[in-house]
Amino acid sequence: MNYKLTYVNIWILIRDQILFDFTTLQNVDDWYEMSDTVRTEGKSKAILVLQTTELFQLAVFFTLLNPQPNGAGFAGVRTLTNLDLSQFKDIEITCRAKGQNEHYKIVLKHRGQNSHEDFSYEQFFTIPISDTEFSKIILPLKDFKPYYRGREITDGEPLDTANITMFEFQIYGGVYLPIKQRGVSALEIKMVKVS
């Protein structure tokens, strides 16, 4: 039985790849804010910090979302990457939400495209607000869709999963969407991996 357990553990390590393990990172200095303050009327704010205690460590994505009346507004943090995820199907995030909002998205860019004029590739998710339970959010890579300034581009080219060069956590106000959000929230994140 011990041999079987060892074999299964090795198979899991080969099948899965950890992208960000916030339980062991020394710092998050390579994450920077990208919020709606890049626009004249923007008023939202975001930061990613490590929370470290004697018992645990994780990342906290703090946001103050202050959108326009139509829901235009966002707060995010991103990091530049060099990821080939072409052999994987899903992004998996272990996290929990606190505060006023539970709707987030992951934003990716590819091939070094990082200007405001380039498409972003986005996938939305909802995470229940909880003081205790962490959830595993699974986002299929095939479901990331091209967006330009908040609007889906139905005829845009697909995400190049072999050349992902930016990864972002974002909370959104809800422009062009039935969901509207505002206020103070936190997403506590243990780990991001692909499988």
Side-chain angles (χ1 to χ4, degrees):
M1 180 153 180
N2 287 342
Y3 290 113
K4 288 182 181 177
L5 182 61
T6 303
Y7 176 78
V8 169
N9 286 341
I10 291 171
W11 182 79
I12 288 172
L13 287 174
I14 293 171
R15 187 190 67 176
D16 296 348
Q17 178 178 324
I18 295 171
L19 301 183
F20 310 106
D21 183 354
F22 294 112
T23 66
T24 60
L25 282 179
Q26 297 299 309
N27 63 66
V28 288
D29 295 345
D30 54 348
W31 291 81
Y32 61 96
E33 182 181 14
M34 181 54 69
S35 297
D36 60 24
T37 50
V38 297
R39 301 174 180 165
T40 304
E41 63 277 357
K43 298 178 181 178
S44 302
K45 187 71 181 164
I47 190 170
L48 187 74
V49 298
L50 290 177
Q51 180 183 18
T52 304
T53 74
E54 291 183 9
L55 301 177
F56 68 88
Q57 177 177 292
L58 48 77
V60 184
F61 172 43
F62 285 110
T63 56
L64 170 60
L65 189 56
N66 192 3
Q68 304 299 306
N70 69 352
F74 62 93
V77 291
R78 64 175 51 172
T79 188
L80 299 179
T81 61
N82 184 15
L83 300 173
D84 178 355
L85 304 183
S86 58
Q87 302 303 310
F88 299 94
K89 288 178 26 181
D90 303 312
I91 293 177
E92 181 180 303
I93 307 164
T94 305
C95 58
R96 68 181 172 196
K98 293 189 175 182
Q100 294 178 248
N101 300 299
E102 57 187 12
H103 302 283
Y104 291 86
K105 62 182 169 179
I106 298 298
V107 180
L108 304 175
K109 291 201 174 188
H110 64 194
R111 302 177 187 150
Q113 298 171 353
N114 200 27
S115 81
H116 300 303
E117 300 305 314
D118 296 318
F119 291 167
S120 58
Y121 293 82
E122 304 179 4
Q123 192 168 159
F124 297 77
F125 66 94
T126 301
I127 178 83
I129 295 171
S130 174
D131 287 332
T132 56
E133 298 298 320
F134 280 85
S135 298
K136 289 191 178 177
I137 303 298
I138 296 176
L139 305 175
L141 283 162
K142 67 178 178 57
D143 292 343
F144 279 84
K145 305 295 183 197
Y147 281 78
Y148 183 71
R149 298 190 176 182
R151 287 188 190 267
E152 184 177 349
I153 307 302
T154 55
D155 60 348
E157 68 174 330
L159 174 66
D160 182 356
T161 58
N163 191 6
I164 295 175
T165 51
M166 191 278 293
F167 188 103
E168 178 176 346
F169 295 105
Q170 191 181 110
I171 194 167
Y172 55 90
V175 68
Y176 312 126
L177 298 171
I179 297 166
K180 304 299 180 191
Q181 301 190 109
R182 62 174 51 249
V184 178
S185 301
L187 186 67
E188 297 181 336
I189 311 158
K190 285 187 174 180
M191 186 175 298
V192 180
K193 67 180 183 178
V194 286
S195 59

